[in-house]
Amino acid sequence: PSLLLGAQEGLSEVPSNLPFTLNGPEAVTAVELDAFGLVMEATSPSSTIAHAEAFISQFPDSQLLSLTRLRELQAEIDADSYEGTLAVGHDLLRASPRNLEALILMAGVLPNFPPSYSTVRKTNAIREAREDIQTANELLQTFHPMEGFSPGDFLKYKRKLRVSLKEAAATVDLAEGKNERAIQEYQEVLSENSTTSAIIYFRLGVA
């Protein structure tokens, strides 16, 4: 499987269509809502990306832009497009710098830079991943239940975010050659994860 997919396995069951704010984003018109529905219901990475770009072009001021970009970000990961993932992720975080899912996804993807990357680009990717991890950790400390979540669902959601963030930190440590710490973190992720992951086992083996 794609190594980029490992960055979002822990979030694959997270309900990304739920709001990040108390009242939640809304569509203003039925046309906007229909266009957003095409993004959310797309069944392949390519169609998701196409519908997302069409939505962003047609509704540049929509309250649903962050959710659309997040869906597109996950589609770029599914398509195994490193540069595409970074482009969408950077656009999303510029507009919504406190988007917790985006921060965690980007932190997990950034260390998977192509071998052709220069030393400078690798160093910058690692630094950016560390900054995303730090910001996400800070946000998790004050992360409160959102409308649409029961207390039990929220705790499950928050746990998935926390485990996915720990996996991202392990991947950054692995990329930097901090193998002992990466081993410990991957083992902790496996012990806390309710589903097995071939990619995590592979990376643990590499470490």
Side-chain angles (χ1 to χ4, degrees):
S2 163
L3 290 183
L4 286 191
L5 289 176
Q8 64 115 18
E9 283 190 334
L11 298 178
S12 60
E13 297 177 7
V14 170
S16 300
N17 57 321
L18 290 176
F20 282 88
T21 61
L22 183 60
N23 297 320
E26 297 178 343
V28 176
T29 66
V31 174
E32 180 185 349
L33 185 60
D34 288 343
F36 180 69
L38 292 176
V39 177
M40 302 307 291
E41 295 172 4
T43 57
S44 69
S46 59
S47 61
T48 300
I49 294 167
H51 286 307
E53 287 297 319
F55 181 90
I56 293 164
S57 175
Q58 190 174 1
F59 305 101
D61 299 319
S62 173
Q63 296 179 31
L64 300 169
L65 280 181
S66 288
L67 293 177
T68 300
R69 278 295 195 193
L70 185 61
R71 182 74 170 178
E72 185 180 15
L73 176 61
Q74 293 172 325
E76 291 284 2
I77 293 172
D78 290 340
D80 199 24
S81 173
Y82 184 79
E83 298 297 346
T85 298
L86 296 194
V88 173
H90 288 150
D91 282 346
L92 172 52
L93 288 174
R94 274 192 292 269
S96 183
R98 295 174 64 84
N99 189 306
L100 192 49
E101 277 193 52
L103 287 165
I104 295 173
L105 286 172
M106 287 291 282
V109 166
L110 281 160
N112 299 314
F113 39 72
S116 59
Y117 260 37
S118 67
T119 300
V120 172
R121 293 191 74 183
K122 291 177 182 178
T123 300
N124 289 339
I126 292 294
R127 184 179 66 250
E128 183 181 342
R130 292 282 187 204
E131 291 172 353
D132 288 346
I133 289 170
Q134 180 179 348
T135 302
N137 268 319
E138 293 170 356
L139 290 174
L140 274 176
Q141 303 307 312
T142 56
F143 194 46
H144 299 299
M146 299 164 289
E147 185 177 329
F149 275 97
S150 69
D153 286 341
F154 175 75
L155 289 175
K156 181 180 178 181
Y157 175 54
K158 188 172 182 179
R159 178 179 174 275
K160 282 182 177 291
L161 293 174
R162 180 174 54 79
V163 172
S164 295
L165 187 56
K166 184 177 291 187
E167 180 186 345
T171 303
V172 174
D173 284 332
L174 181 61
E176 286 193 299
K178 298 177 180 178
N179 296 329
E180 291 186 6
R181 191 161 73 179
I183 289 170
Q184 179 180 347
E185 289 167 332
Y186 280 131
Q187 288 174 335
E188 291 174 358
V189 168
L190 288 169
S191 69
E192 296 183 48
N193 220 336
S194 59
T195 57
T196 58
S197 169
I199 292 175
I200 296 178
Y201 276 113
F202 170 77
R203 287 176 170 159
L204 176 58
V206 171

